[in-house]
C-alpha cells in the first residue's frame, strides 16, 4: 500500500547547520499522527518541507506518490495539503461564516464573498462546519470578538473548508484554557474520522488526549515512534526531554509510572509515598549504596502523573512484573492511611493484573512486613 506521505533521507542544511538530518518518516491515509520533540528538534522545518516553504538539501518528500521537490507552495496546497500555523490567521473584520465561505472556494475573493449570493450547497457546507467547530452560536459576529481558542477553531474550520487530504496543525492549544484545550482535542479527534492529520504539539497532556501514534524528533531525525506510553517509557526520550543521561530501563520506568499513578490517586502525592517508590525501586534494581543513591535521584525526576492504569498494566510482560507492580503499589498507598480514592484505584489495579487471590493476599502480607521492617 502506498503511503500518503513518505519522507526519505531528507536533510535540510542552513549554512552548515542541519535542521533536518537524514530524516525518514511515513504515514498512511487516515492517520492522526502527533509529532513531539524539544525545541530545535526540527518540527517546524519538517512542516516547511512538506508544504514547499523549504526545499531539502538532500532526500525527497512524496505526497500521494508525487514528488514535492521544486513544487511551489500553492501547487502543493492544491495537491491536498493544508497547514494551520500556531498563530491564528483569520480575517478579523469578517464573521466566522464569512471566513468559512471565503475558504470554501479558493477562487473567491473578499469582494465576492461579501456582495454575491452564496450557493445553497455552500451554505449547507458552511453551516455544517460551524457546528463542527462549535461556532454556530457566534456565526455572525466579527471574528475579532472571538476568544483565542475560538479563533483557533475557526482557522481549523477554514482549513477543512478547503477539503485537504492532509491537515498539518501546528501547536493548536498554545495559550488556550484547559476547557478550550479539551474542546480542541475533541475537534481534532472528530476530524480524524475523515481526514489524515499531523499535529505538532508540546502539551503532553493534550498529546495523551488525542495521540494514536507519536513520532519523536530530536536533532533533525526521528528518535522513536510508537504509542504515547511506549514513547514516554523510552529511555532515549526521557534523556532528551530531561537533558540528562538516564540508566532507567523500560521495565523500571513502567513500574515507576504504575506506582506513581497509585500515589497520585487522591491528587495528593505525600512525601512518604514518594520515598517508598524511590527506596523500593532503587533496592530492586541496583545493589550498592552509591548505585541506589544515584538511581533514587534519577527516578525522582521521572515521577509521572495521571497515566491511566488501563494503558500501563497491559505492558507488563511477565507474572513476576505483575507481582512487583502489585507489591510496590500496595506499599505506596499503605505508606499513609489508605483513603477511599486510593482503595478504589488499587482495586482497579488488582483487577487489571489478574493475579490469583492467594497471590494477592501473599504479596500484600509481604508488603506490610516490608513496611514494618
Amino acid at each position: 500500500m502506498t503511503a500518503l506521505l513518505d519522507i526519505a533521507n531528507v536533510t535540510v542544511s542552513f549554512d552548515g547547520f542541519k535542521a533536518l538530518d537524514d530524516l525518514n518518516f511515513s504515514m498512511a491515509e487516515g492517520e492522526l499522527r502527533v509529532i513531539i520533540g524539544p525545541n530545535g528538534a526540527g518540527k517546524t522545518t519538517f512542516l516547511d518541507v512538506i508544504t514547499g516553504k523549504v526545499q531539502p538539501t538532500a532526500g525527497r518528500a512524496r505526497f500521494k506518490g508525487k514528488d514535492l521537490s521544486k513544487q511551489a507552495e500553492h501547487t502543493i496546497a492544491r495537491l491536498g495539503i493544508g497547514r494551520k500555523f500556531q498563530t491564528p490567521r483569520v480575517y478579523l473584520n469578517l464573521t466566522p461564516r464569512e471566513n468559512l465561505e471565503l475558504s470554501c472556494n479558493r477562487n473567491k475573493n473578499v469582494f465576492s464573498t461579501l456582495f454575491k449570493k452564496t450557493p445553497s450547497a455552500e451554505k449547507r457546507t458552511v453551516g455544517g462546519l460551524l457546528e463542527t467547530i462549535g461556532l454556530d452560536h457566534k456565526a455572525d459576529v466579527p471574528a475579532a470578538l472571538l476568544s483565542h481558542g475560538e479563533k483557533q477553531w475557526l482557522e481549523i474550520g477554514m482549513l477543512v473548508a478547503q477539503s485537504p487530504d492532509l491537515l498539518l496543525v501546528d501547536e493548536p492549544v498554545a495559550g488556550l484554557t484547559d476547557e478550550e484545550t479539551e474542546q480542541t482535542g475533541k475537534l481534532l479527534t472528530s476530524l480524524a474520522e475523515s481526514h489524515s492529520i499531523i499535529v505538532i504539539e508540546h502539551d503532553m497532556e493534550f498529546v495523551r488526549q488525542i495521540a494514536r501514534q507519536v513520532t519523536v524528533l530530536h536533532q533533525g531525525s526521528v528518535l522513536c515512534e510508537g504509542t504515547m506510553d511506549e514513547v514516554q517509557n523510552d529511555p532515549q526520550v526521557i534523556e532528551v526531554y530531561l537533558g540528562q543521561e538516564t540508566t532507567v530501563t523500560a521495565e523500571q520506568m513502567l513500574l515507576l509510572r504504575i506506582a506513581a499513578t497509585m500515589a497520585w490517586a487522591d491528587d495528593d502525592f505525600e512525601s512518604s509515598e514518594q520515598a517508598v517508590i524511590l527506596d523500593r525501586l532503587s533496592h530492586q534494581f541496583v545493589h550498592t549504596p552509591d548505585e541506589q543513591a544515584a538511581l533514587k535521584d534519577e527516578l525522582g525526576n521521572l515521577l509521572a502523573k495521571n497515566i491511566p492504569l488501563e494503558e500501563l498494566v497491559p505492558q507488563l510482560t511477565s507474572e513476576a512484573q505483575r507481582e512487583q507492580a502489585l507489591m510496590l503499589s500496595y506499599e505506596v498507598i499503605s505508606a499513609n492511611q489508605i483513603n477511599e480514592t486510593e482503595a478504589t484505584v488499587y482495586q482497579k489495579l488488582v483487577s487489571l493484573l489478574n493475579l490469583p487471590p492467594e497471590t494477592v493476599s501473599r504479596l500484600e502480607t509481604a508488603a506490610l512486613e516490608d513496611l514494618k521492617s
Side-chain angles (χ1 to χ4, degrees):
M1 181 179 175
T2 303
L4 176 70
L5 179 67
D6 183 44
I7 297 176
N9 308 114
V10 165
T11 294
V12 173
S13 181
F14 299 114
D15 296 326
F17 169 73
K18 292 184 177 179
L20 296 180
D21 187 8
D22 199 31
L23 175 70
N24 290 282
F25 174 88
S26 179
M27 69 177 289
E29 187 175 353
E31 272 197 66
L32 170 58
R33 182 75 65 92
V34 180
I35 311 292
I36 66 173
N39 291 331
K43 302 185 296 296
T44 298
T45 307
F46 171 78
L47 296 186
D48 287 345
V49 167
I50 296 172
T51 56
K53 186 175 181 179
V54 168
Q55 292 297 321
T57 307
R60 60 164 178 76
R62 293 183 181 276
F63 176 67
K64 296 192 290 189
K66 297 179 180 178
D67 191 346
L68 300 179
S69 300
K70 311 302 180 185
Q71 300 267 19
E73 292 182 62
H74 68 273
T75 303
I76 291 175
R78 287 171 180 162
L79 288 176
I81 297 178
R83 180 175 182 177
K84 186 215 167 300
F85 291 85
Q86 182 177 345
T87 303
R89 300 183 177 187
V90 302
Y91 295 101
L92 297 178
N93 292 328
L94 300 183
T95 67
R97 188 187 308 278
E98 290 165 342
N99 270 278
L100 291 173
E101 288 175 352
L102 187 61
S103 298
C104 276
N105 187 336
R106 299 183 192 184
N107 298 317
K108 185 182 291 186
N109 56 36
V110 175
F111 181 84
S112 61
T113 297
L114 293 175
F115 299 108
K116 288 189 178 181
K117 187 176 180 180
T118 303
S120 57
E122 189 174 301
K123 283 185 178 180
R124 288 193 295 271
T125 299
V126 169
L129 280 171
L130 286 166
E131 289 184 15
T132 298
I133 63 177
L135 293 180
D136 48 324
H137 63 300
K138 294 188 177 182
D140 300 306
V141 302
L145 300 180
L146 301 178
S147 70
H148 179 60
E150 289 169 337
K151 289 171 186 172
Q152 294 279 35
W153 304 335
L154 176 56
E155 190 182 11
I156 291 173
M158 292 168 67
L159 195 64
V160 174
Q162 298 169 30
S163 300
D165 297 305
L166 175 62
L167 279 67
L168 307 178
V169 185
D170 193 0
E171 296 192 33
V173 299
L176 268 58
T177 65
D178 290 344
E179 184 178 351
E180 289 174 333
T181 296
E182 182 179 359
Q183 188 60 37
T184 302
K186 291 178 179 178
L187 173 59
L188 290 174
T189 301
S190 173
L191 291 175
E193 295 178 4
S194 54
H195 296 81
S196 303
I197 305 176
I198 292 177
V199 179
I200 303 288
E201 190 49 68
H202 283 289
D203 186 323
M204 290 300 102
E205 285 302 314
F206 176 70
V207 173
R208 174 167 290 283
Q209 179 189 348
I210 68 169
R212 300 171 184 175
Q213 191 78 356
V214 179
T215 297
V216 184
L217 296 188
H218 178 54
Q219 296 181 346
S221 299
V222 173
L223 182 66
C224 76
E225 291 183 321
T227 65
M228 187 59 182
D229 284 312
E230 290 170 343
V231 164
Q232 280 192 310
N233 290 332
D234 188 287
Q236 293 184 91
V237 176
I238 295 166
E239 178 180 341
V240 164
Y241 272 95
L242 291 178
Q244 65 181 57
E245 186 175 356
T246 177
T247 58
V248 179
T249 67
E251 178 187 356
Q252 293 167 340
M253 195 68 223
L254 182 56
L255 287 173
L256 176 72
R257 293 200 186 286
I258 291 174
T261 297
M262 300 302 301
W264 278 112
D266 58 355
D267 293 323
D268 186 14
F269 199 165
E270 298 287 346
S271 58
S272 57
E273 294 174 326
Q274 178 173 329
V276 167
I277 295 175
L278 300 182
D279 186 64
R280 296 302 177 187
L281 281 182
S282 64
H283 280 76
Q284 284 180 16
F285 293 112
V286 291
H287 305 291
T288 70
D290 287 346
E291 289 175 330
Q292 289 167 1
L295 185 57
K296 284 176 70 173
D297 287 342
E298 190 174 340
L299 292 173
N301 291 325
L302 303 175
L303 289 172
K305 181 178 179 179
N306 294 334
I307 300 179
L309 290 171
E310 292 86 349
E311 297 181 18
L312 293 172
V313 173
Q315 298 179 55
L316 297 168
T317 57
S318 68
E319 185 166 338
Q321 285 184 346
R322 295 199 298 275
E323 291 186 3
Q324 273 189 315
L326 179 73
M327 193 167 182
L328 177 62
S329 297
Y330 186 74
E331 289 179 1
V332 167
I333 64 171
S334 299
N336 291 298
Q337 184 174 357
I338 301 176
N339 59 44
E340 183 177 349
T341 303
E342 291 176 332
T344 299
V345 176
Y346 177 73
Q347 288 306 315
K348 178 189 289 186
L349 175 65
V350 171
S351 176
L352 290 168
L353 290 170
N354 196 28
L355 292 167
E358 57 272 19
T359 299
V360 173
S361 179
R362 172 175 58 81
L363 293 174
E364 290 177 346
T365 300
L368 279 177
E369 291 299 321
D370 283 348
L371 285 172
K372 293 176 183 177
S373 61

